[in-house]
Amino acid sequence: MPLYADSHSLIRSNLQLIACGERPKVVPIGKLTALQHAAINAQRLTEGRPPLMDAEILFLGKHLFNSRHADGYSIDDMVAQIDSALSAQSEVLPTKKMSALCNPHRRADGYGNHVNDVAVLELSARRPKAELFSTIPRGDLIKPA
């Protein structure tokens, strides 16, 4: 299970602090599965980058909040996106621009879309751990009002 049991409340708390103009603390919210961790490290190895040493995922949330809030998403929507994108079923996306996980199972987003949630990870700023930098609800053609 990638997300820790108390992660939803930690994520929600950080996002609410950001919404109020405050600065939250970086918090651990989960761990990559062994398969996800190995796939990320295999991708990094082919790019000549050092491996991700720790499978734990940290969360601050500022970029994620600003990006998804600009699209009209609520904090509840953001928590759902994170939960989906960081699921045990999520697969590593092979890309040279970023390290990302994508849930291959579509989720009804409540706005008439069925999306594949993508988690974008930052792997160098908080070494040896990954930080959840953002989420992308792929396929959200109908944005919140």
Side-chain angles (χ1 to χ4, degrees):
M1 166 164 112
L3 291 178
Y4 297 142
D6 64 343
S7 66
H8 289 104
S9 63
L10 293 172
I11 292 165
R12 187 176 310 284
S13 176
N14 272 22
L15 294 172
Q16 288 170 337
L17 286 169
I18 294 164
C20 292
E22 297 181 38
R23 185 179 174 104
K25 294 183 179 180
V26 175
V27 293
I29 60 168
K31 283 194 172 195
L32 298 165
T33 66
L35 186 60
Q36 291 165 342
H37 191 207
I40 285 172
N41 281 337
Q43 177 184 342
R44 291 180 64 76
L45 183 63
T46 62
E47 297 168 358
R49 295 182 183 187
L52 176 64
M53 300 306 289
D54 195 319
E56 189 164 56
I57 302 167
L58 303 176
F59 181 70
L60 179 64
K62 186 170 179 153
H63 178 80
L64 187 149
F65 178 84
N66 291 335
S67 297
R68 299 296 68 87
H69 182 70
D71 289 339
Y73 288 108
S74 69
I75 289 176
D76 288 339
D77 294 330
M78 294 177 216
V79 172
Q81 291 166 3
I82 293 167
D83 189 49
S84 172
L86 292 179
S87 78
Q89 293 78 32
S90 292
E91 301 168 348
V92 174
L93 288 177
T95 173
K96 292 183 180 183
K97 293 183 178 181
M98 62 182 174
S99 294
L101 298 169
C102 180
N103 189 331
H105 305 287
R106 293 189 177 273
R107 174 182 64 83
D109 69 355
Y111 302 100
N113 302 299
H114 286 83
V115 298
N116 292 100
D117 292 299
V118 175
V120 179
L121 303 175
E122 161 55 52
L123 302 182
S124 57
R126 304 203 190 271
R127 263 187 273 182
K129 299 176 183 182
E131 178 183 355
L132 175 60
F133 184 68
S134 193
T135 56
I136 303 165
R138 285 198 176 159
D140 63 339
L141 302 175
I142 304 167
K143 304 278 187 192

